[in-house]
Structures are given as C-alpha cells and as structure tokens.
Amino acid sequence: MSNRIDMKGITKSFFATKALDNVDFSCHASEVHALVGLNGAGKSTLMKVLGGIYSSDEGTIEVDGAAVTIKTPVDADNAGISMIHQELSLINELTVAGNIFLGRELKRAGTPFLDKREMARRVKAELDRFGLMLDPNMPVRELNSGEKQIVEIIRALMSNSWLIVMDEPTSALSEEDKERLFGFIERMKQEGIAIIYISHHMPEIFGIAERVTVMRDGEIVLSERIAETSEPAVIRSMTGRELAHFEKPHKEIAGEPLLTVDALSKPGSFEDVSFEVRPGEIVVLTGLRGCGAPELAKSVFGLDGDYTGTVSYLGSPLVPGRGPAVAVREGMGLVTENRDKNGILPALSVRDNIALPFLEKALRGGVLSRGHIEAVVDKAIRDTSTKTSSPDQEIRFLSGGNKQKICFSRWLDDDLKLLILLEPTRGIDVHAKADIYRIIEDLAGRGVGVLLLSYEIDEVTMLADRVITMYQGKSIARYNYPEFDKDQMLADMAGARI
C-alpha cells in the first residue's frame, strides 16, 4: 500500500479562466487532509485532476516519490485512488454486494454465471473488518443515506484504494449517520488509508482532520496542521476577509394566506399535516431525514397527486398532481435538493438554464423574443451575484454554489408568488450561503411566500418566520420568530419531549 501522494505545480485553465494556478498539494497515509474553499475556488477541479476526470495543463503527480500518469479514471483506479462524489452513484435495483462488485463481478468456475454467494461473503468479511452491520444481500434502495455512503466507501476499499477523496460526504446525512461515518473514517485511518475530505462544515473539519488546506481563486492560500490554526483563520483565508454576520431583517407578516395545506396525508410519507404560508412569510419545515417533508413539499408543487386532504392557493383548491407546468403558470417555483440530477440541464448554457421557466412568457405572437430572454438572464445573473464567464458558458462548468444560484435565478421574475426550497444551501460554501440567504430574504421582502426545507438547525432559526418540526411524517410542533427553542426543536425531530 502506498504512503504518500504529491501534486506539484498543477495548472488548469478552462478557456480564458485559470481554475488552478501552480498548485502544490500532498496527502499521507493514515491522515485526513481537509480541502476547503469557497465554491469556485478550485478544489473540485484539483481533485478531478487527481481522479483522472480532467488533465492538467502543467504539473506532475507522484506516488511515493515516483511520477505517475493519471489521464483517465481508470489510471486513478490503477494508482489506488478513488473518488466518492457528493451525489452517490449506486444503482438502487442492485444489492449491496452487487453494487460493490459492479464491473468486476465474480463468476462461478467455468461458467458465465455470477457467484453471488462468494461476492456476498467477501463483502461481509470487509464489513466485519470495520465493525459494520450491513446485509450484503439487501437491495440498496432499502438503505438510508448514511448506509449508502458506507457502501460507496467499501466499494473503493475493495478495489484496493489506499487514497479516498470524499466530496461533502455528510451533506445528505442525519446527525446519527454523521457520527457513524466519522467512526468509520477513524478506523480507516488506523488501517493506513489516506483521506482527502472536502467540506464546508468547520466543526467536522476541526473534529476529524489532521491537516487543512484552503484554496482561493485557484491557488493555495493556507495549509496548516489543524492544531496550529483556527476556524476564524480558515474562514478568513477562504473569503479574504471576515465573514459578515447575517442579520434577519424585520418585516411585518399580514394578509390572507397565500397557501393553505389542510390535513394532507400520503401513506408512508406524511400524515394529517396542516399549515399556512402568508405573503412575505418564510415557513421552514425541519426534522430528521425521512421525516416526510420533501414529499410534502413536492405534493404542494404538484409533482405528486397521490394524497388526501386539500392544498389551497390564492384562495382556491389545487388539482392534485397538476404538474410543474401548471404550477409555474400559477406563480410557483421549486428549487430541488439535488441540483445536479433534477435542478439543471448540464449540457445547456447558463442562459438556457435560467430561461427554461420563462420560455412560455417570452413568446410574442408565436415568436420567441430574444431581447426579453436576454433581459431576464442578465438581471438574474446580476441579482444573484452568479460567477460565470458569460451566459453562453455551459452550466456544468460552474461551481456548486453558482449552479445553486442559477436554480434560484430562474424564479426571480415579478410573477413569482410562492417559492418552495428543498435544502437550498446543501453542499455550498459559507459565502455562497450568505448570498442565498440574502436572495431568500429579498424575495420575502417583496411579498413572495417561501416554504423551505432545511435539516440544519442554525439555518432553520436564522431564516424562519415560522418553524414546523416533523417526525415520521407528522407535524410535531410550531414555533414563531423570535421565540425559537433549538433544544426542543431537536427533541421534536427525534420524537422526544424535554
């Protein structure tokens, strides 16, 4: 097993933009090296060079002092390097063992048939080695987010990887699953595994990492042992300044309800949930993952009509499952929790992604008005402070935070009345979060109602005018700003009272 990787003088440009500028980065066996920076700082690009997804324009990669060529993901695999992306790549229809051995399945001797028993046995042995209780024969669709994360890691370990890159590994995990993952990481370190850990969460970084490297504008601006730096120092290095504190503006909530949800139920998802959202009000749903809030929000938007109860909007009941096209015409918008899979069309430009909901509105006598589209796109980019080389740039080349801003920007026209947000700051940095918070409050300030799902308790209390806690599909309690009780909210999410 290898002991050290060194990336030296790595430079990478996309058109006129220099994403990486002479970057030196190293990682040793048995350590967690945190790699942090604002969205667009270059950390994902650097790791894609390491993983063979991108080729660098200049620079070398060495393993134990010997130069290696990594031009493709296969080259990275051969060098013992695995990447676990923020959005997991498991196939739900396969078992745990089937996913782990995907592409390198074992066959029964002398036959074309899979040796499922032997694959399950080897996976079970690896799980036992790390003290993990997981059935190799269980379909992946039955696992929770934390268990799926572990399957990805075991797959990397069983392909003989000695270096694992984890990109925002806790973004979809409950607190319990986070602790399980951190325990697993500690055992991996004891086994000599090197881990590069990309995260925006300071408590995680300072809790599990030995070293931290900060990138800004494609360069390394800080690289220290954790014991020799601090959270404020890391944040200053990320932003180039002190992080401004977000202050919730004062506003008056009045008027008739914009949205009324009455006794909404769907077996297995949510049960007898009722609430209202008024113009300019930010109502936050929160709970543990699996609490039913995402399914509830999608039903309100019209993506799922398989429910009982009533959703009324602007004083009239809505047709269940009416579809997103109708919802958009009614002045509703939705930002999903998974921007890469459901929020953007990666092969299209920034302009086209912003313009999607406006195409019908841009029609003038059956002809698409280019001028109208350009005005909408320019205003959206400006209002959200999106960093892009031009509206013609393919959105897939943007950072996570800027992709998220595009998902917001497509709804910022004057017809918007209700915006539904599912984990709006998932996997984005502190600076981009502040921009997103500002956008949300600006929308509420102009009278847009906001229904928001967040699992981060600090974010919940920072943004909400009203909080509804959920547990196993049921609405547990309600809290009004500023009378928030974080301890009781956390107890609600766990099904307890204090």
Side-chain angles (χ1 to χ4, degrees), residues 65 151 177 276 278 296 346 350 371 393 411 485:
V151 171
D177 286 333
E276 296 175 341
R278 286 181 160 75
L296 176 67
V350 169
Q393 183 177 16
W411 303 114
D485 184 337

Side-chain angles (χ1 to χ4, degrees), residues 8-13 18 20-23 55-59:
K8 298 181 177 180
I10 303 296
T11 298
K12 177 68 177 176
S13 295
K18 184 169 281 191
L20 299 173
D21 188 2
N22 195 33
V23 173
S55 294
S56 64
D57 301 329
E58 299 175 26

Side-chain angles (χ1 to χ4, degrees), residues 256-454:
E256 293 298 313
L258 178 69
L259 175 76
T260 301
V261 174
D262 185 24
L264 220 62
S265 297
K266 178 183 176 181
S269 296
F270 47 85
E271 180 182 349
D272 195 28
V273 179
S274 301
F275 62 88
E276 296 175 341
V277 181
R278 286 181 160 75
E281 185 178 27
I282 302 173
V283 175
V284 179
L285 305 175
T286 192
L288 300 179
R289 293 186 185 276
C291 67
E295 294 82 2
L296 176 67
K298 290 173 183 177
S299 294
V300 170
F301 190 66
L303 291 173
D304 186 356
D306 188 21
Y307 61 78
T308 59
T310 305
V311 179
S312 296
Y313 177 64
L314 297 174
S316 300
L318 296 177
V319 177
R322 63 202 180 283
V326 176
V328 171
R329 287 198 295 271
E330 293 167 340
M332 288 190 188
L334 172 71
V335 176
T336 70
E337 68 273 47
N338 190 331
R339 57 180 169 265
D340 287 319
K341 287 187 178 179
N342 303 318
I344 64 170
L345 294 174
L348 297 185
S349 67
V350 169
R351 173 189 291 104
D352 291 342
N353 271 275
I354 293 174
L356 284 173
F358 299 115
L359 293 180
E360 184 176 334
K361 300 172 187 177
L363 289 174
R364 298 290 185 268
V367 178
L368 188 63
S369 169
R370 181 79 177 185
H372 182 78
I373 288 293
E374 292 298 332
V376 165
V377 170
D378 290 346
K379 183 177 186 299
I381 291 173
R382 185 174 61 252
D383 287 353
T384 57
S385 303
T386 298
K387 186 178 178 182
T388 177
S389 60
S390 83
D392 295 316
Q393 183 177 16
E394 290 181 31
I395 196 171
R396 62 195 175 97
F397 291 119
L398 268 58
S399 67
N402 284 302
K403 288 176 185 174
Q404 189 72 338
K405 290 178 184 179
I406 295 299
C407 292
F408 269 84
S409 67
R410 61 169 58 122
W411 303 114
L412 301 185
D413 72 327
D414 294 336
D415 294 335
L416 181 67
K417 297 180 178 65
L418 176 69
L419 184 59
I420 300 171
L421 303 172
L422 305 182
E423 299 183 70
T425 64
R426 176 181 171 185
I428 65 174
D429 63 59
V430 290
H431 191 62
K433 276 188 178 184
D435 285 341
I436 295 296
Y437 294 160
R438 175 185 59 79
I439 294 167
I440 293 170
E441 286 291 0
D442 285 350
L443 287 169
R446 78 178 205 207
V448 174
V450 178
L451 177 62
L452 187 150
L453 164 65
S454 177

Side-chain angles (χ1 to χ4, degrees), residues 5 47 50-52 61 63 68 70 73-83 156 159-165 196:
I5 194 148
M47 291 300 99
L50 180 61
I61 300 175
V63 175
V68 295
I70 300 178
V74 173
D75 294 336
D77 287 340
N78 292 337
I81 300 165
S82 289
M83 295 187 67
S159 64
N160 296 316
S161 295
W162 69 274
L163 170 62
I164 298 178
V165 180
I196 300 174

